[in-house]
Amino acid sequence: MTQRAIVLGAWIGLAGIGAGLATPAVAQSVGDSFVVPNLPIEYDRGRNTGVLDRPRPQYDALGVKIGGFTLFPRLETSIGYSDNVYQSASNRKSDGVADLSPSARLTSDWSRHSFTLDGAADVKRFFTETRRNQDSWHVGASGRYDLGGQATLSASARTERATEPPTSAAYPTAAAAASQYQSTQMQLNAGYAPGRLKLQGGFTFIALGFDDVLTFANGVVSQANRNSHTESGSGRAEYALSPDTSVFVQTTYDRVAYARPLATGIPNRSSDTYRGLAGATFDLSTLLRGSLGVGYMRRRYDSAIYRPIGGLTAEARMEYFPTPLTTVTVSGRRLIEDASFLNSGGFVNNTVALRLDHELLRYVLLDTQIGYEHDSYKGTNASLDIVRASGGARYILTREFGLGVSVAHDLRAAHGASAGPSYHETRFLLSIVAQR
């Protein structure tokens, strides 16, 4: 995965212990995009409620009232263990890690319009392998303005210092320290829904800057050729066939410009990408909700040394409710991404995932998931197969406190000399959350 598809988070954990402890975080999924879509497909019509969405009034955080706003402070502390800290096939080292993650969210209580301000930090400290220490943070704001009738205007801005997971196809293979980057995103969306017809448009700007990384030989690998900025525009028209089913068409255009050449005398992969989808969204009472879109994508590079890439694109997410206490989620996608080595322009990313959430008791939540990703590089015989599996439990003690435990396993199988290393890693994590 590259700048436009960096899977967030190298640790699979329980960031929100249950629905009563702020927003319940889910385990890291294969293929999660770090770039938030400027027009996410909406399918929730209020006919079904997933395990993680269900309100729990006796455990929900109350927050602190500040005029027309409510402040939700939160602190998570975790201790964990990895059996392969450097994600290496030959030089495996195990270590423990401690994590401190304070956060706060300020949200409006207005009857019309909305505004949210949020921020968080994440400090990871390894017990002996200190080169893997990480300091991450983010601040962001979002708002919605109701223009009246069926028209809305929304905007958001966010900047963060984040850490790239080693499963990323663009991860520097010689790195001993964590690969970190700065991401700044701004979005503007508009919507109009007269009757059965719903029209939406969005624009997103993203700037990425990658830090240099330290090698095992105490050298430095420059990642300046990964710095880029992206402008993306999308439009969608959706028509309701019935109260629970709609059909839609959507088009997206992305322009990516890299700040520096890939290497001396070799141009980078600046490009234009066009993507069209057609599909349906549905929310069938007590049974199923989700979305499915299929279409065509094509990427053209500015430099003639990279061949254009095109083909089938797809995006799907479905939630099945066999009982009121169980939610089964299936998701998948097919996209084009930029390659990380000199002899390929890009690759096709194929991802599928299955997740199960179960409410054992009102205050005990169980989850398990497995995901598979296949990356096929164009113009070479290189490919990647990535499998992630995880399971966990969340115990909501009170409105203010909760506990969580999880175990996760990653497998990265690289095929071809250019695809980077193969490895597997198992992680354990125990978390405590305090909130107001």
Side-chain angles (χ1 to χ4, degrees):
M1 280 146 276
T2 60
Q3 285 89 320
R4 280 179 286 183
I6 299 174
V7 181
L8 283 179
W11 283 83
I12 295 179
L14 300 170
I17 310 300
L21 294 177
T23 301
V26 297
Q28 171 193 350
S29 296
V30 175
D32 282 352
S33 176
F34 111 104
V35 176
V36 178
N38 52 8
L39 283 181
I41 297 176
E42 301 170 354
Y43 53 80
D44 184 3
R45 295 172 174 82
R47 288 173 171 77
N48 293 287
T49 303
V51 170
L52 298 181
D53 303 325
R54 184 173 298 119
R56 297 172 174 84
Q58 68 271 43
Y59 296 114
D60 288 345
L62 297 177
V64 180
K65 297 290 292 184
I66 305 175
F69 293 83
T70 302
L71 176 66
F72 296 93
R74 182 173 175 274
L75 176 66
E76 179 183 357
T77 59
S78 303
I79 187 167
Y81 170 83
S82 167
D83 69 353
N84 191 3
V85 173
Y86 294 105
Q87 290 82 30
S88 171
S90 57
N91 185 29
R92 295 173 62 88
K93 291 185 179 294
S94 59
D95 198 7
V97 62
D99 194 318
L100 181 67
S101 303
S103 63
R105 176 170 53 92
L106 182 70
T107 184
S108 64
D109 300 325
W110 309 331
S111 59
R112 295 183 68 240
H113 319 304
S114 68
F115 179 78
T116 299
L117 181 67
D118 68 280
D122 185 15
V123 180
K124 285 185 172 66
R125 291 294 181 265
F126 286 82
F127 295 169
T128 58
E129 304 300 326
T130 57
R131 287 180 294 191
R132 301 298 287 182
N133 291 347
Q134 303 168 23
D135 295 315
S136 304
W137 56 267
H138 83 264
V139 292
S142 62
R144 187 194 74 249
Y145 184 76
D146 300 322
L147 299 174
Q150 301 296 320
T152 61
L153 184 66
S154 60
S156 65
R158 176 187 175 98
T159 185
E160 67 176 331
R161 178 174 174 79
T163 302
E164 181 181 10
T167 46
S168 167
Y171 196 86
T173 58
S179 174
Q180 295 198 287
Y181 61 94
Q182 188 73 28
S183 169
T184 300
Q185 303 185 30
M186 292 175 285
Q187 295 186 358
L188 181 65
N189 294 336
Y192 179 57
R196 293 191 174 192
L197 182 64
K198 184 178 183 180
L199 303 175
Q200 292 176 281
F203 173 80
T204 302
F205 172 82
I206 304 160
L208 295 173
F210 288 80
D211 295 353
D212 296 343
V213 293
L214 184 69
T215 69
F216 290 99
N218 292 323
V220 174
V221 175
S222 173
Q223 299 197 88
N225 62 5
R226 300 181 65 190
N227 298 345
S228 69
H229 64 267
T230 302
E231 293 91 27
S232 177
S234 293
R236 181 165 66 238
E238 187 169 353
Y239 183 77
L241 300 176
S242 68
D244 54 23
T245 304
S246 297
V247 293
F248 70 87
V249 292
Q250 176 175 317
T251 60
T252 303
Y253 166 74
D254 293 333
R255 170 62 187 172
V256 178
Y258 287 88
R260 299 189 182 185
L262 188 62
T264 302
I266 301 178
N268 218 319
R269 299 180 178 90
S270 298
S271 64
D272 300 284
T273 302
Y274 303 87
R275 184 175 186 236
L277 280 177
T281 70
F282 43 88
D283 192 346
L284 309 177
S285 180
T286 70
L287 181 63
L288 187 72
R289 70 180 178 184
S291 64
L292 174 64
V294 179
Y296 181 79
M297 59 185 173
R298 184 167 181 83
R299 176 168 298 178
R300 299 185 64 90
Y301 295 94
D302 292 358
S303 173
I305 70 171
Y306 304 117
R307 295 173 55 188
I309 302 175
L312 176 72
T313 183
E315 186 172 334
R317 181 179 176 88
M318 300 183 190
E319 292 177 298
Y320 172 59
F321 306 91
T323 76
L325 301 179
T326 303
T327 303
V328 181
T329 304
V330 179
S331 59
R333 72 178 190 186
R334 178 180 170 88
L335 294 172
I336 298 172
E337 303 295 346
D338 286 341
S340 56
F341 43 83
L342 298 181
N343 57 344
S344 178
F347 63 91
V348 176
N349 168 264
N350 301 274
T351 300
V352 293
L354 172 68
R355 179 183 174 96
L356 173 66
D357 293 284
H358 181 70
E359 186 178 296
L360 182 63
L361 298 168
R362 194 68 174 169
Y363 47 83
V364 177
L365 305 179
L366 307 177
D367 67 84
T368 184
Q369 74 164 351
I370 185 167
Y372 170 72
E373 176 179 331
H374 177 74
D375 300 328
S376 177
Y377 292 84
K378 296 300 182 180
T380 77
N381 63 351
S383 64
L384 278 177
D385 292 295
I386 299 170
V387 177
R388 296 194 185 96
S390 68
R394 282 166 272 187
Y395 180 32
I396 308 171
L397 295 172
T398 68
R399 215 184 272 277
E400 291 81 18
F401 296 100
L403 300 174
V405 62
S406 69
V407 59
H409 183 79
D410 287 356
L411 171 65
R412 185 185 195 269
H415 312 286
S418 305
S422 300
Y423 72 86
H424 60 89
E425 178 193 13
T426 301
R427 300 178 301 275
F428 300 91
L429 192 68
L430 175 65
S431 301
I432 301 175
V433 169
Q435 69 174 20
R436 178 67 185 274

